[in-house]
Amino acid sequence: MQSLPDSLKDFDIDLNPNPAVALKVRSVDNEEEIPFHVHRKGQLIFTLHGGVTCLAPKAWWMVPANCAAWIPAGSLHCNRVTKNGQVLFLYIEPDVSGMPEECCALHISPMLREMLKHFATLPQDYTATSQTARFAQVMLHELSLMPVERLNLPISDNPKIKRLADALMANPADSSSLAVWADRLAMSKRTFERFVLKETGMTFGRWRQQLQVLVAIRLLVTGTSVQNTAWELGYDSVTAFITMFKKTLGKTPGRYLNDLSYLSRQTARCF
């Protein structure tokens, strides 16, 4: 697999009219970013190893191994791949039915995972009556059945919300009170509370907690220990961090990592 820049150089997937086309890439030494852009096709960003952060106008997603982000056709977005990450891009024609109308994160079943990896080894210029075309049809149907994962941080076009998100992403351990954040954005406490709820659909406390979960996943999948992740997020107690993580995702960080590790080992056996 090539690095992100090498793989996408002089590569215009929108010129290919087939219903689905796959491309597998990897990030070599450091975290790599594909700047904001749009496609005529929809894009599935499937993480094989490491993690991908997807940024779109209305939300950010953290996509760990064996999950995927769905970006509908014509949606502005940016992808950041962690160090040594491996990613499979699946580009889908806008008229393919059954795909979500909004950006989201999707759970990928073991069967679909293997189908996606196999499809990435097939020719991109297949004909409509070929075996590859029939395989793509079954694969896309299976993809349309995948459930949505809660791995997003809702934001809006409002520059103050983006400023708030950028500040907390850069320093997730900042435990400043609601009143302090309101003052930083030149608002009263009550106005700030209403503002965040209106722009994100969440209270400030719930929204900040969701952001911390996304940051935690990014740290965990790149090798940071549970203890150090808790410290990076400003938790004095590892137990408190584990409780927050489990409440949000339904499993402890250790169990979450074990599940990802198992799926990654299963994936590696097929390369």
Side-chain angles (χ1 to χ4, degrees):
M1 290 182 290
Q2 295 176 303
S3 66
L4 280 174
D6 290 340
S7 298
L8 300 176
K9 185 179 180 181
D10 301 324
F11 179 76
D12 189 351
I13 196 63
D14 285 338
L15 297 178
N16 189 315
N18 281 327
V21 179
L23 177 69
K24 192 160 57 178
V25 300
R26 68 185 176 91
S27 178
V28 183
D29 296 320
N30 300 301
E31 183 173 291
E32 295 185 11
E33 177 175 321
I34 304 174
F36 278 98
H37 61 287
V38 297
H39 302 288
R40 182 184 64 80
K41 292 176 178 281
Q43 183 182 23
L44 186 79
I45 304 162
F46 177 41
T47 307
L48 297 168
H49 184 269
V52 178
T53 303
C54 296
L55 289 73
K58 294 183 179 180
W60 294 354
W61 290 265
M62 179 61 216
V63 190
N66 296 290
C67 288
W70 167 245
I71 310 295
S75 299
L76 184 68
H77 63 287
C78 166
N79 305 325
R80 295 172 182 168
V81 183
T82 60
K83 179 180 178 180
N84 296 323
Q86 295 181 1
V87 186
L88 188 153
F89 294 146
L90 183 71
Y91 300 91
I92 301 175
E93 280 292 295
D95 60 357
V96 171
S97 63
M99 296 305 298
E101 296 182 359
E102 301 288 339
C103 298
C104 61
L106 298 173
H107 171 77
I108 300 298
S109 69
M111 182 177 77
L112 180 57
R113 181 180 70 243
E114 300 308 316
M115 295 177 76
L116 288 165
K117 292 189 302 178
H118 176 66
F119 187 69
T121 69
L122 302 178
Q124 296 178 345
D125 57 347
Y126 57 89
T127 63
T129 57
S130 65
Q131 183 177 351
T132 299
R134 292 191 293 272
F135 182 88
Q137 184 178 14
V138 175
M139 178 186 67
L140 290 172
H141 173 71
E142 183 68 16
L143 177 59
S144 71
L145 303 178
M146 293 299 101
V148 173
E149 292 275 15
R150 295 181 299 167
L151 297 173
N152 69 300
L153 179 74
I155 56 174
S156 71
D157 291 330
N158 190 294
K160 289 190 175 181
I161 282 291
K162 291 187 175 181
R163 176 184 165 190
L164 182 62
D166 285 338
L168 283 171
M169 278 288 189
N171 183 19
D174 188 338
S175 59
S176 298
S177 68
L178 190 151
V180 170
W181 279 108
D183 185 63
R184 289 173 181 172
L185 295 180
M187 297 180 183
S188 70
K189 179 180 175 181
R190 186 171 179 80
T191 299
F192 179 72
E193 286 180 299
R194 291 198 300 261
F195 169 72
V196 174
L197 184 61
K198 176 185 175 183
E199 297 295 328
T200 70
M202 294 180 174
T203 64
F204 175 68
R206 179 68 186 89
W207 184 80
R208 177 161 59 179
Q209 185 178 85
Q210 183 70 5
L211 181 146
Q212 288 189 325
V213 168
L214 300 189
V215 174
I217 292 172
R218 185 179 66 190
L219 292 170
L220 291 168
V221 300
T222 53
T224 305
S225 69
V226 173
Q227 184 177 38
N228 286 339
T229 297
W231 290 342
E232 288 282 346
L233 296 181
Y235 283 82
D236 294 327
S237 164
V238 176
T239 301
F241 164 67
I242 292 174
T243 299
M244 180 277 292
F245 193 96
K246 184 176 181 181
K247 183 178 179 181
T248 305
L249 293 182
K251 60 183 73 175
T252 66
R255 177 64 182 274
Y256 189 87
L257 284 176
N258 285 339
D259 290 349
L260 288 182
S261 178
Y262 172 77
L263 291 173
S264 294
R265 289 197 301 271
Q266 296 300 103
T267 298
R269 290 175 184 173
C270 300
F271 280 97

